[in-house]
Amino acid sequence: MAETSICSLEKRTKIADLVQIAPEDFSKQSAVAIEDNINAKYSNKVIQNIGLCICFYDLLWASEGLIGHGTGLVNVNGNSTPQGIHLRTDFFDDIFVPYDQLPEGCEYNHSDQLWIWNVEEDRLYFDNHEMARIQVIDEEWHDQTPVGPLQSSEDNPPKPPYKITGSMRKEGLGPCLWWDG
């Protein structure tokens, strides 16, 4: 969700709208991707009771956004464990690709602490800090109602409010360097 002001022939107008950013625009800065999307949607169009929209003027507010089901692009920042790969974007930290959702033929290298995909004669590495494509296969929502100190337990640490589980099993998913050259 973004709130923006746009310029029309008559005045500046504030509009709140849901803006969807396509995976191919994830390499752009968030504000630039939002601006491009708003310009594509509103520029040179007549908006009822406002007038002809000329261009995007100013981004007033934008939410962190959510990654919905389907194919998405995330920045692999984080760590690999024998259980899978923890992913992170610049606005969201709780994305996990379990080992059984990695391509067939993957193995965990304990000394380098990363996953390797053995495909034919090649060894393709899931390096940290690389852009990667994933498919969102599950979402988990957890109530964040505060509990008192007597009810909290170190044995059960709090769960994140929102968690995404992803997959890299389909062709074209995984580190972009594998597929984009």
Side-chain angles (χ1 to χ4, degrees):
M1 181 70 136
E3 190 171 291
T4 183
S5 62
I6 57 175
C7 283
S8 66
L9 288 176
E10 299 293 321
K11 59 190 174 223
R12 265 193 326 187
T13 303
K14 185 163 66 170
I15 293 178
D17 195 358
L18 177 65
V19 177
Q20 294 180 337
I21 308 298
E24 57 267 16
D25 290 335
F26 286 177
S27 61
K28 298 178 182 177
Q29 292 288 333
S30 296
V32 172
I34 292 169
E35 179 180 346
D36 290 349
N37 198 292
I38 289 171
N39 270 326
K41 186 172 185 177
Y42 290 107
S43 291
N44 301 318
K45 295 189 174 83
V46 175
I47 302 172
Q48 188 153 350
N49 296 328
I50 294 175
L52 175 65
C53 176
I54 298 170
C55 66
F56 170 87
Y57 182 77
D58 190 19
L59 181 64
L60 303 174
W61 174 85
S63 69
E64 290 183 348
L66 300 173
I67 301 172
H69 286 284
T71 302
L73 189 64
V74 296
N75 191 8
V76 180
N77 267 340
N79 60 345
S80 294
T81 67
Q83 291 75 37
I85 300 174
H86 296 272
L87 307 173
R88 189 173 77 200
T89 67
D90 54 350
F91 61 85
F92 187 71
D93 291 338
D94 292 307
I95 304 170
F96 182 65
V97 178
Y99 71 91
D100 62 346
Q101 291 299 324
L102 295 173
E104 192 171 316
C106 281
E107 66 178 346
Y108 184 71
N109 182 311
H110 289 277
S111 61
D112 292 331
Q113 295 186 341
L114 54 82
W115 283 90
I116 302 169
W117 183 24
N118 297 306
V119 56
E120 298 173 10
E121 293 87 38
D122 291 327
R123 292 173 55 86
L124 303 175
Y125 293 84
F126 290 86
D127 290 326
N128 288 331
H129 307 293
E130 293 292 333
M131 296 298 287
R133 291 183 186 93
I134 69 164
Q135 176 183 14
V136 175
I137 59 171
D138 193 27
E139 305 172 278
E140 291 179 33
W141 295 89
H142 300 283
D143 184 19
Q144 296 297 301
T145 305
V147 296
L150 299 177
Q151 296 160 331
S152 63
S153 167
E154 290 184 22
D155 296 335
N156 288 331
K159 294 181 179 179
Y162 181 61
K163 181 180 176 183
I164 293 174
T165 302
S167 174
M168 294 184 188
R169 289 191 73 81
K170 293 182 179 175
E171 186 173 319
L173 302 179
C176 295
L177 291 174
W178 297 355
W179 308 104
D180 299 341

PDB file of all heavy atoms in Angstrom, residues 28-59:
ATOM      1  N   LYS A  28      15.378  -2.500  -8.524  1.00  0.00           N
ATOM      2  CA  LYS A  28      15.305  -1.047  -8.335  1.00  0.00           C
ATOM      3  C   LYS A  28      15.149  -0.723  -6.852  1.00  0.00           C
ATOM      4  O   LYS A  28      14.677  -1.552  -6.075  1.00  0.00           O
ATOM      5  CB  LYS A  28      14.091  -0.466  -9.070  1.00  0.00           C
ATOM      6  CG  LYS A  28      14.095  -0.649 -10.563  1.00  0.00           C
ATOM      7  CD  LYS A  28      12.809  -0.075 -11.156  1.00  0.00           C
ATOM      8  CE  LYS A  28      12.727  -0.273 -12.644  1.00  0.00           C
ATOM      9  NZ  LYS A  28      11.453   0.219 -13.185  1.00  0.00           N
ATOM     10  N   GLN A  29      15.537   0.488  -6.478  1.00  0.00           N
ATOM     11  CA  GLN A  29      15.228   0.963  -5.134  1.00  0.00           C
ATOM     12  C   GLN A  29      13.714   0.952  -4.972  1.00  0.00           C
ATOM     13  O   GLN A  29      12.985   1.213  -5.926  1.00  0.00           O
ATOM     14  CB  GLN A  29      15.753   2.395  -4.934  1.00  0.00           C
ATOM     15  CG  GLN A  29      17.254   2.500  -4.925  1.00  0.00           C
ATOM     16  CD  GLN A  29      17.836   1.929  -3.650  1.00  0.00           C
ATOM     17  OE1 GLN A  29      17.202   1.904  -2.603  1.00  0.00           O
ATOM     18  NE2 GLN A  29      19.070   1.449  -3.741  1.00  0.00           N
ATOM     19  N   SER A  30      13.218   0.659  -3.762  1.00  0.00           N
ATOM     20  CA  SER A  30      11.775   0.541  -3.535  1.00  0.00           C
ATOM     21  C   SER A  30      11.024   1.785  -3.991  1.00  0.00           C
ATOM     22  O   SER A  30       9.999   1.689  -4.667  1.00  0.00           O
ATOM     23  CB  SER A  30      11.500   0.286  -2.058  1.00  0.00           C
ATOM     24  OG  SER A  30      12.049  -0.946  -1.678  1.00  0.00           O
ATOM     25  N   ALA A  31      11.507   2.971  -3.618  1.00  0.00           N
ATOM     26  CA  ALA A  31      10.813   4.214  -3.973  1.00  0.00           C
ATOM     27  C   ALA A  31      10.752   4.407  -5.488  1.00  0.00           C
ATOM     28  O   ALA A  31       9.745   4.870  -6.023  1.00  0.00           O
ATOM     29  CB  ALA A  31      11.491   5.406  -3.309  1.00  0.00           C
ATOM     30  N   VAL A  32      11.814   4.025  -6.196  1.00  0.00           N
ATOM     31  CA  VAL A  32      11.843   4.163  -7.655  1.00  0.00           C
ATOM     32  C   VAL A  32      10.847   3.198  -8.294  1.00  0.00           C
ATOM     33  O   VAL A  32      10.105   3.567  -9.214  1.00  0.00           O
ATOM     34  CB  VAL A  32      13.274   3.916  -8.198  1.00  0.00           C
ATOM     35  CG1 VAL A  32      13.288   3.866  -9.713  1.00  0.00           C
ATOM     36  CG2 VAL A  32      14.226   4.990  -7.679  1.00  0.00           C
ATOM     37  N   ALA A  33      10.793   1.959  -7.808  1.00  0.00           N
ATOM     38  CA  ALA A  33       9.854   0.980  -8.345  1.00  0.00           C
ATOM     39  C   ALA A  33       8.412   1.435  -8.113  1.00  0.00           C
ATOM     40  O   ALA A  33       7.564   1.309  -8.990  1.00  0.00           O
ATOM     41  CB  ALA A  33      10.093  -0.390  -7.711  1.00  0.00           C
ATOM     42  N   ILE A  34       8.137   1.983  -6.931  1.00  0.00           N
ATOM     43  CA  ILE A  34       6.796   2.486  -6.626  1.00  0.00           C
ATOM     44  C   ILE A  34       6.463   3.660  -7.539  1.00  0.00           C
ATOM     45  O   ILE A  34       5.386   3.731  -8.122  1.00  0.00           O
ATOM     46  CB  ILE A  34       6.673   2.879  -5.141  1.00  0.00           C
ATOM     47  CG1 ILE A  34       6.746   1.627  -4.260  1.00  0.00           C
ATOM     48  CG2 ILE A  34       5.388   3.653  -4.879  1.00  0.00           C
ATOM     49  CD1 ILE A  34       6.894   1.923  -2.784  1.00  0.00           C
ATOM     50  N   GLU A  35       7.396   4.594  -7.693  1.00  0.00           N
ATOM     51  CA  GLU A  35       7.172   5.761  -8.561  1.00  0.00           C
ATOM     52  C   GLU A  35       6.901   5.331 -10.001  1.00  0.00           C
ATOM     53  O   GLU A  35       5.958   5.819 -10.629  1.00  0.00           O
ATOM     54  CB  GLU A  35       8.383   6.698  -8.502  1.00  0.00           C
ATOM     55  CG  GLU A  35       8.234   7.912  -9.389  1.00  0.00           C
ATOM     56  CD  GLU A  35       9.434   8.845  -9.331  1.00  0.00           C
ATOM     57  OE1 GLU A  35      10.277   8.704  -8.428  1.00  0.00           O
ATOM     58  OE2 GLU A  35       9.523   9.720 -10.208  1.00  0.00           O
ATOM     59  N   ASP A  36       7.709   4.415 -10.522  1.00  0.00           N
ATOM     60  CA  ASP A  36       7.506   3.942 -11.897  1.00  0.00           C
ATOM     61  C   ASP A  36       6.128   3.306 -12.060  1.00  0.00           C
ATOM     62  O   ASP A  36       5.436   3.533 -13.051  1.00  0.00           O
ATOM     63  CB  ASP A  36       8.584   2.933 -12.287  1.00  0.00           C
ATOM     64  CG  ASP A  36       9.960   3.559 -12.453  1.00  0.00           C
ATOM     65  OD1 ASP A  36      10.046   4.813 -12.473  1.00  0.00           O
ATOM     66  OD2 ASP A  36      10.940   2.803 -12.553  1.00  0.00           O
ATOM     67  N   ASN A  37       5.727   2.514 -11.061  1.00  0.00           N
ATOM     68  CA  ASN A  37       4.437   1.835 -11.112  1.00  0.00           C
ATOM     69  C   ASN A  37       3.286   2.837 -11.066  1.00  0.00           C
ATOM     70  O   ASN A  37       2.317   2.716 -11.809  1.00  0.00           O
ATOM     71  CB  ASN A  37       4.349   0.856  -9.937  1.00  0.00           C
ATOM     72  CG  ASN A  37       3.293  -0.177 -10.127  1.00  0.00           C
ATOM     73  OD1 ASN A  37       2.111   0.135 -10.113  1.00  0.00           O
ATOM     74  ND2 ASN A  37       3.711  -1.419 -10.288  1.00  0.00           N
ATOM     75  N   ILE A  38       3.398   3.844 -10.214  1.00  0.00           N
ATOM     76  CA  ILE A  38       2.352   4.871 -10.100  1.00  0.00           C
ATOM     77  C   ILE A  38       2.279   5.691 -11.378  1.00  0.00           C
ATOM     78  O   ILE A  38       1.186   5.984 -11.884  1.00  0.00           O
ATOM     79  CB  ILE A  38       2.589   5.754  -8.865  1.00  0.00           C
ATOM     80  CG1 ILE A  38       2.306   4.932  -7.596  1.00  0.00           C
ATOM     81  CG2 ILE A  38       1.723   7.005  -8.900  1.00  0.00           C
ATOM     82  CD1 ILE A  38       2.714   5.612  -6.322  1.00  0.00           C
ATOM     83  N   ASN A  39       3.426   6.068 -11.935  1.00  0.00           N
ATOM     84  CA  ASN A  39       3.422   6.816 -13.200  1.00  0.00           C
ATOM     85  C   ASN A  39       2.775   6.011 -14.314  1.00  0.00           C
ATOM     86  O   ASN A  39       1.998   6.540 -15.110  1.00  0.00           O
ATOM     87  CB  ASN A  39       4.835   7.233 -13.589  1.00  0.00           C
ATOM     88  CG  ASN A  39       5.213   8.576 -13.029  1.00  0.00           C
ATOM     89  OD1 ASN A  39       4.376   9.470 -12.902  1.00  0.00           O
ATOM     90  ND2 ASN A  39       6.468   8.725 -12.657  1.00  0.00           N
ATOM     91  N   ALA A  40       3.086   4.707 -14.378  1.00  0.00           N
ATOM     92  CA  ALA A  40       2.491   3.869 -15.421  1.00  0.00           C
ATOM     93  C   ALA A  40       0.970   3.776 -15.253  1.00  0.00           C
ATOM     94  O   ALA A  40       0.232   3.720 -16.232  1.00  0.00           O
ATOM     95  CB  ALA A  40       3.107   2.476 -15.389  1.00  0.00           C
ATOM     96  N   LYS A  41       0.512   3.794 -14.018  1.00  0.00           N
ATOM     97  CA  LYS A  41      -0.917   3.622 -13.751  1.00  0.00           C
ATOM     98  C   LYS A  41      -1.713   4.915 -13.934  1.00  0.00           C
ATOM     99  O   LYS A  41      -2.839   4.889 -14.415  1.00  0.00           O
ATOM    100  CB  LYS A  41      -1.094   3.094 -12.322  1.00  0.00           C
ATOM    101  CG  LYS A  41      -2.521   2.741 -11.962  1.00  0.00           C
ATOM    102  CD  LYS A  41      -2.570   2.049 -10.612  1.00  0.00           C
ATOM    103  CE  LYS A  41      -3.971   1.591 -10.286  1.00  0.00           C
ATOM    104  NZ  LYS A  41      -4.014   0.851  -9.020  1.00  0.00           N
ATOM    105  N   TYR A  42      -1.140   6.064 -13.547  1.00  0.00           N
ATOM    106  CA  TYR A  42      -1.924   7.297 -13.503  1.00  0.00           C
ATOM    107  C   TYR A  42      -1.523   8.374 -14.512  1.00  0.00           C
ATOM    108  O   TYR A  42      -2.353   9.189 -14.898  1.00  0.00           O
ATOM    109  CB  TYR A  42      -1.844   7.916 -12.098  1.00  0.00           C
ATOM    110  CG  TYR A  42      -2.579   7.120 -11.055  1.00  0.00           C
ATOM    111  CD1 TYR A  42      -1.894   6.384 -10.110  1.00  0.00           C
ATOM    112  CD2 TYR A  42      -3.969   7.109 -11.008  1.00  0.00           C
ATOM    113  CE1 TYR A  42      -2.569   5.654  -9.140  1.00  0.00           C
ATOM    114  CE2 TYR A  42      -4.651   6.390 -10.052  1.00  0.00           C
ATOM    115  CZ  TYR A  42      -3.949   5.667  -9.112  1.00  0.00           C
ATOM    116  OH  TYR A  42      -4.623   4.959  -8.170  1.00  0.00           O
ATOM    117  N   SER A  43      -0.264   8.449 -14.919  1.00  0.00           N
ATOM    118  CA  SER A  43       0.182   9.546 -15.786  1.00  0.00           C
ATOM    119  C   SER A  43      -0.583   9.570 -17.098  1.00  0.00           C
ATOM    120  O   SER A  43      -0.848   8.524 -17.702  1.00  0.00           O
ATOM    121  CB  SER A  43       1.677   9.421 -16.079  1.00  0.00           C
ATOM    122  OG  SER A  43       2.395   9.670 -14.906  1.00  0.00           O
ATOM    123  N   ASN A  44      -0.928  10.792 -17.515  1.00  0.00           N
ATOM    124  CA  ASN A  44      -1.631  11.036 -18.776  1.00  0.00           C
ATOM    125  C   ASN A  44      -3.007  10.368 -18.822  1.00  0.00           C
ATOM    126  O   ASN A  44      -3.477   9.983 -19.889  1.00  0.00           O
ATOM    127  CB  ASN A  44      -0.780  10.600 -19.977  1.00  0.00           C
ATOM    128  CG  ASN A  44       0.532  11.344 -20.012  1.00  0.00           C
ATOM    129  OD1 ASN A  44       0.576  12.547 -19.769  1.00  0.00           O
ATOM    130  ND2 ASN A  44       1.594  10.633 -20.283  1.00  0.00           N
ATOM    131  N   LYS A  45      -3.620  10.230 -17.666  1.00  0.00           N
ATOM    132  CA  LYS A  45      -4.964   9.658 -17.590  1.00  0.00           C
ATOM    133  C   LYS A  45      -5.870  10.627 -16.826  1.00  0.00           C
ATOM    134  O   LYS A  45      -5.425  11.353 -15.947  1.00  0.00           O
ATOM    135  CB  LYS A  45      -4.937   8.303 -16.893  1.00  0.00           C
ATOM    136  CG  LYS A  45      -4.156   7.274 -17.705  1.00  0.00           C
ATOM    137  CD  LYS A  45      -4.301   5.902 -17.144  1.00  0.00           C
ATOM    138  CE  LYS A  45      -3.650   4.896 -18.045  1.00  0.00           C
ATOM    139  NZ  LYS A  45      -2.260   4.719 -17.903  1.00  0.00           N
ATOM    140  N   VAL A  46      -7.145  10.604 -17.175  1.00  0.00           N
ATOM    141  CA  VAL A  46      -8.121  11.435 -16.488  1.00  0.00           C
ATOM    142  C   VAL A  46      -8.669  10.652 -15.303  1.00  0.00           C
ATOM    143  O   VAL A  46      -9.099   9.506 -15.451  1.00  0.00           O
ATOM    144  CB  VAL A  46      -9.274  11.852 -17.423  1.00  0.00           C
ATOM    145  CG1 VAL A  46     -10.332  12.614 -16.667  1.00  0.00           C
ATOM    146  CG2 VAL A  46      -8.724  12.671 -18.586  1.00  0.00           C
ATOM    147  N   ILE A  47      -8.610  11.268 -14.133  1.00  0.00           N
ATOM    148  CA  ILE A  47      -9.149  10.670 -12.919  1.00  0.00           C
ATOM    149  C   ILE A  47     -10.397  11.458 -12.552  1.00  0.00           C
ATOM    150  O   ILE A  47     -10.344  12.690 -12.404  1.00  0.00           O
ATOM    151  CB  ILE A  47      -8.126  10.707 -11.770  1.00  0.00           C
ATOM    152  CG1 ILE A  47      -6.847   9.985 -12.193  1.00  0.00           C
ATOM    153  CG2 ILE A  47      -8.718  10.093 -10.506  1.00  0.00           C
ATOM    154  CD1 ILE A  47      -5.707  10.133 -11.212  1.00  0.00           C
ATOM    155  N   GLN A  48     -11.509  10.738 -12.401  1.00  0.00           N
ATOM    156  CA  GLN A  48     -12.785  11.400 -12.126  1.00  0.00           C
ATOM    157  C   GLN A  48     -12.703  12.281 -10.887  1.00  0.00           C
ATOM    158  O   GLN A  48     -12.135  11.900  -9.876  1.00  0.00           O
ATOM    159  CB  GLN A  48     -13.883  10.354 -11.947  1.00  0.00           C
ATOM    160  CG  GLN A  48     -15.241  10.989 -11.846  1.00  0.00           C
ATOM    161  CD  GLN A  48     -16.334  10.057 -12.304  1.00  0.00           C
ATOM    162  OE1 GLN A  48     -16.078   9.010 -12.864  1.00  0.00           O
ATOM    163  NE2 GLN A  48     -17.546  10.456 -12.066  1.00  0.00           N
ATOM    164  N   ASN A  49     -13.282  13.458 -10.993  1.00  0.00           N
ATOM    165  CA  ASN A  49     -13.338  14.473  -9.931  1.00  0.00           C
ATOM    166  C   ASN A  49     -11.968  15.046  -9.564  1.00  0.00           C
ATOM    167  O   ASN A  49     -11.847  15.769  -8.590  1.00  0.00           O
ATOM    168  CB  ASN A  49     -14.024  13.937  -8.671  1.00  0.00           C
ATOM    169  CG  ASN A  49     -15.471  13.586  -8.920  1.00  0.00           C
ATOM    170  OD1 ASN A  49     -16.146  14.201  -9.737  1.00  0.00           O
ATOM    171  ND2 ASN A  49     -15.936  12.569  -8.224  1.00  0.00           N
ATOM    172  N   ILE A  50     -10.932  14.676 -10.311  1.00  0.00           N
ATOM    173  CA  ILE A  50      -9.600  15.233 -10.063  1.00  0.00           C
ATOM    174  C   ILE A  50      -9.117  15.969 -11.293  1.00  0.00           C
ATOM    175  O   ILE A  50      -8.696  17.104 -11.223  1.00  0.00           O
ATOM    176  CB  ILE A  50      -8.598  14.129  -9.656  1.00  0.00           C
ATOM    177  CG1 ILE A  50      -8.999  13.554  -8.293  1.00  0.00           C
ATOM    178  CG2 ILE A  50      -7.186  14.684  -9.609  1.00  0.00           C
ATOM    179  CD1 ILE A  50      -8.168  12.387  -7.850  1.00  0.00           C
ATOM    180  N   GLY A  51      -9.154  15.306 -12.440  1.00  0.00           N
ATOM    181  CA  GLY A  51      -8.688  15.919 -13.680  1.00  0.00           C
ATOM    182  C   GLY A  51      -7.652  15.050 -14.352  1.00  0.00           C
ATOM    183  O   GLY A  51      -7.502  13.868 -14.039  1.00  0.00           O
ATOM    184  N   LEU A  52      -6.920  15.656 -15.274  1.00  0.00           N
ATOM    185  CA  LEU A  52      -5.872  14.946 -15.993  1.00  0.00           C
ATOM    186  C   LEU A  52      -4.653  14.826 -15.099  1.00  0.00           C
ATOM    187  O   LEU A  52      -4.095  15.828 -14.645  1.00  0.00           O
ATOM    188  CB  LEU A  52      -5.503  15.691 -17.283  1.00  0.00           C
ATOM    189  CG  LEU A  52      -4.334  15.112 -18.076  1.00  0.00           C
ATOM    190  CD1 LEU A  52      -4.684  13.726 -18.603  1.00  0.00           C
ATOM    191  CD2 LEU A  52      -3.949  16.036 -19.208  1.00  0.00           C
ATOM    192  N   CYS A  53      -4.239  13.618 -14.855  1.00  0.00           N
ATOM    193  CA  CYS A  53      -3.045  13.381 -14.042  1.00  0.00           C
ATOM    194  C   CYS A  53      -1.826  13.534 -14.943  1.00  0.00           C
ATOM    195  O   CYS A  53      -1.726  12.890 -15.984  1.00  0.00           O
ATOM    196  CB  CYS A  53      -3.100  11.976 -13.439  1.00  0.00           C
ATOM    197  SG  CYS A  53      -1.611  11.577 -12.524  1.00  0.00           S
ATOM    198  N   ILE A  54      -0.911  14.391 -14.535  1.00  0.00           N
ATOM    199  CA  ILE A  54       0.284  14.633 -15.338  1.00  0.00           C
ATOM    200  C   ILE A  54       1.406  13.687 -14.933  1.00  0.00           C
ATOM    201  O   ILE A  54       1.994  13.015 -15.768  1.00  0.00           O
ATOM    202  CB  ILE A  54       0.742  16.099 -15.206  1.00  0.00           C
ATOM    203  CG1 ILE A  54      -0.357  17.022 -15.725  1.00  0.00           C
ATOM    204  CG2 ILE A  54       2.053  16.325 -15.945  1.00  0.00           C
ATOM    205  CD1 ILE A  54      -0.122  18.469 -15.425  1.00  0.00           C
ATOM    206  N   CYS A  55       1.725  13.630 -13.645  1.00  0.00           N
ATOM    207  CA  CYS A  55       2.833  12.791 -13.207  1.00  0.00           C
ATOM    208  C   CYS A  55       2.805  12.577 -11.702  1.00  0.00           C
ATOM    209  O   CYS A  55       2.113  13.274 -10.973  1.00  0.00           O
ATOM    210  CB  CYS A  55       4.173  13.400 -13.601  1.00  0.00           C
ATOM    211  SG  CYS A  55       4.524  14.944 -12.745  1.00  0.00           S
ATOM    212  N   PHE A  56       3.598  11.636 -11.270  1.00  0.00           N
ATOM    213  CA  PHE A  56       3.864  11.394  -9.859  1.00  0.00           C
ATOM    214  C   PHE A  56       4.557  12.632  -9.306  1.00  0.00           C
ATOM    215  O   PHE A  56       5.452  13.179  -9.936  1.00  0.00           O
ATOM    216  CB  PHE A  56       4.779  10.164  -9.767  1.00  0.00           C
ATOM    217  CG  PHE A  56       5.355   9.887  -8.412  1.00  0.00           C
ATOM    218  CD1 PHE A  56       4.658   9.123  -7.493  1.00  0.00           C
ATOM    219  CD2 PHE A  56       6.594  10.376  -8.063  1.00  0.00           C
ATOM    220  CE1 PHE A  56       5.191   8.846  -6.249  1.00  0.00           C
ATOM    221  CE2 PHE A  56       7.131  10.114  -6.828  1.00  0.00           C
ATOM    222  CZ  PHE A  56       6.433   9.342  -5.917  1.00  0.00           C
ATOM    223  N   TYR A  57       4.165  13.064  -8.104  1.00  0.00           N
ATOM    224  CA  TYR A  57       4.800  14.232  -7.514  1.00  0.00           C
ATOM    225  C   TYR A  57       5.650  13.860  -6.308  1.00  0.00           C
ATOM    226  O   TYR A  57       6.810  14.246  -6.216  1.00  0.00           O
ATOM    227  CB  TYR A  57       3.741  15.267  -7.123  1.00  0.00           C
ATOM    228  CG  TYR A  57       4.332  16.528  -6.546  1.00  0.00           C
ATOM    229  CD1 TYR A  57       4.916  17.481  -7.359  1.00  0.00           C
ATOM    230  CD2 TYR A  57       4.337  16.749  -5.179  1.00  0.00           C
ATOM    231  CE1 TYR A  57       5.476  18.629  -6.847  1.00  0.00           C
ATOM    232  CE2 TYR A  57       4.893  17.891  -4.638  1.00  0.00           C
ATOM    233  CZ  TYR A  57       5.463  18.829  -5.473  1.00  0.00           C
ATOM    234  OH  TYR A  57       6.021  19.964  -4.946  1.00  0.00           O
ATOM    235  N   ASP A  58       5.084  13.094  -5.359  1.00  0.00           N
ATOM    236  CA  ASP A  58       5.804  12.816  -4.137  1.00  0.00           C
ATOM    237  C   ASP A  58       5.253  11.548  -3.492  1.00  0.00           C
ATOM    238  O   ASP A  58       4.041  11.353  -3.452  1.00  0.00           O
ATOM    239  CB  ASP A  58       5.634  13.991  -3.168  1.00  0.00           C
ATOM    240  CG  ASP A  58       6.543  13.919  -1.965  1.00  0.00           C
ATOM    241  OD1 ASP A  58       7.541  13.180  -2.021  1.00  0.00           O
ATOM    242  OD2 ASP A  58       6.269  14.606  -0.967  1.00  0.00           O
ATOM    243  N   LEU A  59       6.124  10.702  -2.980  1.00  0.00           N
ATOM    244  CA  LEU A  59       5.711   9.533  -2.219  1.00  0.00           C
ATOM    245  C   LEU A  59       5.616   9.948  -0.763  1.00  0.00           C
ATOM    246  O   LEU A  59       6.615  10.318  -0.150  1.00  0.00           O
ATOM    247  CB  LEU A  59       6.715   8.385  -2.389  1.00  0.00           C
ATOM    248  CG  LEU A  59       6.399   7.090  -1.658  1.00  0.00           C
ATOM    249  CD1 LEU A  59       5.111   6.470  -2.206  1.00  0.00           C
ATOM    250  CD2 LEU A  59       7.554   6.111  -1.785  1.00  0.00           C
TER     251      LEU A  59
END
